[in-house]
């Protein structure tokens, strides 16, 4: 189902799409996934009751508990990436990820195995940022300003004229990101 506007986050950047429910008078549609196709958000699922037709007004409700768990894991990938770069070096870069409500997977480049000591240091830095419970800020700016701010840009992606810059822990982590995030690092 494609809606003219939606609160559902579509799968992007390793973060899974939202799930939830679309309802209307006499009907319900269970959204099992949300994906992008061009400029459209595709709500993928099953009609549980009723009938859908073009122009029908629906109430769109995401699964907020699942979104919140996914949001926490996604924010943690930013803390992890910054900690990896601090401990292992600036050459470390993200090569992929999978973020859902149960876990996060973070793929990165490095020229050797991470030692137990390095792993403990990385873990310590991430936990420190969580304990500091700093504000997570999202700003929209042009690419030049984002570069001056020190925002990390991943995968050689193509970005538009304006970008979202996410910062956590002050300058601990600054990256371009369109995903969902917590409001505080704690």
């Amino acid at each position: 189902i494609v809606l003219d506007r939606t609160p559902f986050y579509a799968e992007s950047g390793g973060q899974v799409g939202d799930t939830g429910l679309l309802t209307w008078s006499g009907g319900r549609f269970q959204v099992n996934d949300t994906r992008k196709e061009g400029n459209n958000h595709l709500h993928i699922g099953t009609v549980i009751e009723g009938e859908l037709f073009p122009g029908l007004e629906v109430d769109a409700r995401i699964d907020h508990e699942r979104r919140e768990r996914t949001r926490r894991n996604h924010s943690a990938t930013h803390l992890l990436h910054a900690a990896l770069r601090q401990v292992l070096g600036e050459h470390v870069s993200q090569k992929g990820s999978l973020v859902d409500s149960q876990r996060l997977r973070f793929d990165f480049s490095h020229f050797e195995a991470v030692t137990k000591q390095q792993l403990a240091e990385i873990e310590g830095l991430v936990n420190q940022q969580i304990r500091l419970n700093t504000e997570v800020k999202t700003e929209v700016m042009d690419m030049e300003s984002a570069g001056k701010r020190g925002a990390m840009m991943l995968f050689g992606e193509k970005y538009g004229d304006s970008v979202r810059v996410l910062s956590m822990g002050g300058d601990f982590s600054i990256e371009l990101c369109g995903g969902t995030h917590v409001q505080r690092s704690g």
Side-chain angles (χ1 to χ4, degrees):
I1 297 176
V2 176
L3 305 175
D4 64 345
R5 62 186 183 277
T6 182
F8 284 73
Y9 177 81
E11 179 181 339
S12 183
Q15 180 178 334
V16 297
D18 278 333
T19 61
L21 196 62
L22 304 178
T23 59
W24 61 95
S25 178
R28 295 183 301 151
F29 180 88
Q30 179 66 47
V31 179
N32 299 321
D33 194 9
T34 309
R35 297 185 191 151
K36 286 181 188 174
E37 185 171 297
N39 292 326
N40 294 314
H41 279 53
L42 305 181
H43 303 80
I44 301 163
T46 307
V47 174
I48 299 169
E49 174 186 359
E51 190 174 327
L52 280 165
F53 53 87
L56 180 68
E57 189 171 310
V58 300
D59 181 44
R61 296 179 187 254
I62 63 168
D63 180 339
H64 285 284
E65 289 179 23
R66 181 177 179 270
R67 158 82 73 85
E68 186 57 33
R69 291 190 310 267
T70 303
R71 180 188 320 227
R72 286 193 299 262
N73 285 338
H74 187 180
S75 297
T77 65
H78 288 265
L79 295 176
L80 176 58
H81 195 185
L84 285 164
R85 290 174 59 86
Q86 276 191 31
V87 174
L88 303 178
E90 293 293 313
H91 66 280
V92 170
S93 65
Q94 181 177 352
K95 296 300 181 188
S97 68
L98 173 62
V99 181
D100 65 23
S101 63
Q102 302 299 310
R103 65 192 168 282
L104 68 88
R105 189 198 76 230
F106 190 85
D107 306 329
F108 63 96
S109 61
H110 186 48
F111 48 81
E112 63 187 9
V114 177
T115 68
K116 287 183 182 181
Q117 181 181 351
Q118 289 168 327
L119 185 59
E121 192 175 345
I122 293 162
E123 203 173 303
L125 285 171
V126 171
N127 285 329
Q128 178 185 41
Q129 289 300 313
I130 291 168
R131 284 190 301 276
L132 288 172
N133 195 29
T134 59
E135 181 182 10
V136 174
K137 293 182 183 177
T138 303
E139 303 168 89
V140 176
M141 60 185 72
D142 60 65
M143 282 296 290
E144 184 179 339
S145 298
K148 287 179 183 174
R149 177 83 170 83
M152 192 178 332
M153 300 163 202
L154 303 178
F155 307 122
E157 290 181 11
K158 294 178 183 174
Y159 298 103
D161 293 336
S162 61
V163 292
R164 287 180 70 217
V165 178
L166 180 86
S167 59
M168 301 178 74
D171 289 343
F172 181 78
S173 171
I174 304 171
E175 293 188 44
L176 300 188
C177 188
T180 63
H181 294 279
V182 296
Q183 294 178 348
R184 300 194 68 83
S185 62

